[in-house]
Amino acid sequence: MELNAAHIAKNKLHGVHHTARPTWKLRETVEFYRDCMGLALVHAISAKGWGPPGHPDFLHFFFDSGKGSTIAFFYYIGVEQPDYLRHRTQWDGDSVHTSWGVERQEELLDWKAALEARGVDVFMRVHHELIDSIYFRDPNGYLLEITWQTRPMTALDAGDAERTLQAAIAAESEAAAGGMPLNDIEGIWRRKAQLVRALESKE
Amino acid sequence: MAAIYLLDVPEFQPIAISARRQGLTVTTLRTGYIRLESPGILELRRKPTGVKLPVWFGAPTGGLEGRIELFDKELLRIVDA
């Protein structure tokens, strides 16, 4: 079937059900999410011989993270953690992370205080453009974030995001055509200015 | 001409207010952007804007005319390309 915009528009998602990552620290993971963070353990699958060769037996368990969402883990029984899955606490490894939302700034500050009172190192707070976030790690080293969004995202934000990505994709294509990687944000911003000027002249 | 476009949202608006005080030409566009410009060299200091670094370093996200000669924690300098 050929997909078109009308078909795509009918397909809606209703929030995150779960995200999942592997853990090799079973007890610590349960104690952290259930006992320290207070996320209820709401579901656990255990299976024998069902997984692919190399990890036939496993646990897959889920913690409630609000509004029907969960955060889940796999624990592969009898399997040593491969080196490539050891979390690197650097920008590239940390780009994979989970960020939960809270509705008020007070909640964010309460979380920070509560986590610190329980011995968690909340090592960073960053107020980005419209999100105010705290950062900490789970026993696996995985980066976790709690975010308060300071205002709703509007049509203006969305239109701007479209133009940023349009400019970036065009800059990347141009660089690739010249056999070069895209290595400078300035080229994207100059293209973005062209798009903004074109938009203004249309109005 | 050296210029940047700010998205006209609360996070970036303090930069526009300060830019006017810093002598730049500031034009609010109909399309949701604010153009800051200066003939020749555009210089904008961060401290008077009051914005923190995560917003500061994304200020030209709306667009850039010219070439960034310096962009550190305190100063953005754009020259005619």
Side-chain angles (χ1 to χ4, degrees), chain A residues 126-130 150-151 154 156-157 159-160 163-164 186 189-190 192-193 196-197 199-201 203, chain B residues 5 7-12 29-33 54-55 57 60-68 71:
Chain A
V126 180
H127 194 154
H128 307 80
E129 291 173 22
L130 52 70
T150 57
R151 63 172 176 84
T154 66
L156 181 56
D157 295 301
D160 181 66
R163 284 182 280 283
T164 296
E186 280 191 52
W189 285 346
R190 276 190 283 271
K192 179 87 176 285
V196 169
R197 284 197 302 271
L199 183 70
E200 189 70 11
S201 65
E203 287 285 314
Chain B
Y5 293 85
L7 189 61
D8 193 358
V9 292
E11 298 79 38
F12 292 114
L29 307 179
R30 291 161 297 175
T31 47
Y33 291 91
V55 169
F57 282 118
T61 296
L64 167 71
E65 292 173 13
R67 180 175 58 80
I68 294 177
F71 196 1

Side-chain angles (χ1 to χ4, degrees), chain A residues 30-63:
Chain A
V30 171
E31 288 178 349
F32 179 80
Y33 287 93
R34 184 192 62 191
D35 304 333
C36 176
M37 286 200 71
L39 309 186
L41 176 66
V42 288
H43 184 50
I45 296 165
S46 61
K48 179 171 178 59
W50 189 40
H55 52 86
D57 301 352
F58 65 88
L59 300 172
H60 186 24
F61 49 100
F62 299 70
F63 300 94

Side-chain angles (χ1 to χ4, degrees), chain B residues 38-53:
Chain B
S38 180
I41 296 175
L42 182 157
E43 277 198 348
L44 185 66
R45 284 172 291 121
R46 180 182 69 89
K47 267 206 184 113
T49 70
V51 301
K52 306 272 192 210
L53 296 178

Side-chain angles (χ1 to χ4, degrees), chain A:
Chain A
M1 187 180 74
E2 194 180 332
L3 280 179
N4 60 35
H7 284 115
I8 293 168
K10 285 181 188 167
N11 299 331
K12 292 211 185 307
L13 299 176
H14 300 275
V16 174
H17 180 273
H18 71 274
T19 57
R21 300 178 77 170
T23 180
W24 275 266
K25 294 186 174 180
L26 181 60
R27 176 192 295 274
E28 294 91 331
T29 298
V30 171
E31 288 178 349
F32 179 80
Y33 287 93
R34 184 192 62 191
D35 304 333
C36 176
M37 286 200 71
L39 309 186
L41 176 66
V42 288
H43 184 50
I45 296 165
S46 61
K48 179 171 178 59
W50 189 40
H55 52 86
D57 301 352
F58 65 88
L59 300 172
H60 186 24
F61 49 100
F62 299 70
F63 300 94
D64 182 355
S65 50
K67 288 194 174 174
S69 72
T70 59
I71 182 167
F73 291 89
F74 284 97
Y75 179 71
Y76 301 112
I77 294 160
V79 178
E80 295 244 340
Q81 182 174 26
D83 259 351
Y84 67 86
L85 283 180
R86 271 178 224 289
H87 185 72
R88 302 179 67 229
T89 56
Q90 295 168 36
W91 59 273
D92 49 356
D94 283 347
S95 67
V96 178
H97 64 274
T98 297
S99 182
W100 294 293
V102 292
E103 293 176 349
R104 297 185 307 280
Q105 189 176 38
E106 296 74 39
E107 282 183 277
L108 184 72
L109 300 177
D110 284 350
W111 266 106
K112 182 173 185 293
L115 288 166
E116 285 174 342
R118 293 165 200 162
V120 177
D121 178 20
V122 180
F123 63 90
M124 188 164 62
R125 179 178 175 194
V126 180
H127 194 154
H128 307 80
E129 291 173 22
L130 52 70
I131 59 175
D132 188 358
S133 296
I134 58 171
Y135 296 88
F136 51 103
R137 295 189 185 282
D138 87 348
N140 304 286
Y142 297 152
L143 184 66
L144 298 172
E145 176 180 354
I146 298 179
T147 290
W148 167 57
Q149 188 174 308
T150 57
R151 63 172 176 84
M153 294 178 189
T154 66
L156 181 56
D157 295 301
D160 181 66
E162 285 288 346
R163 284 182 280 283
T164 296
L165 273 296
Q166 185 183 342
I169 290 167
E172 186 195 44
S173 297
E174 185 181 278
M180 301 286 288
L182 178 60
N183 55 15
D184 185 356
I185 195 98
E186 280 191 52
I188 296 173
W189 285 346
R190 276 190 283 271
R191 283 175 173 277
K192 179 87 176 285
Q194 292 169 9
L195 295 174
V196 169
R197 284 197 302 271
L199 183 70
E200 189 70 11
S201 65
K202 262 200 271 177
E203 287 285 314

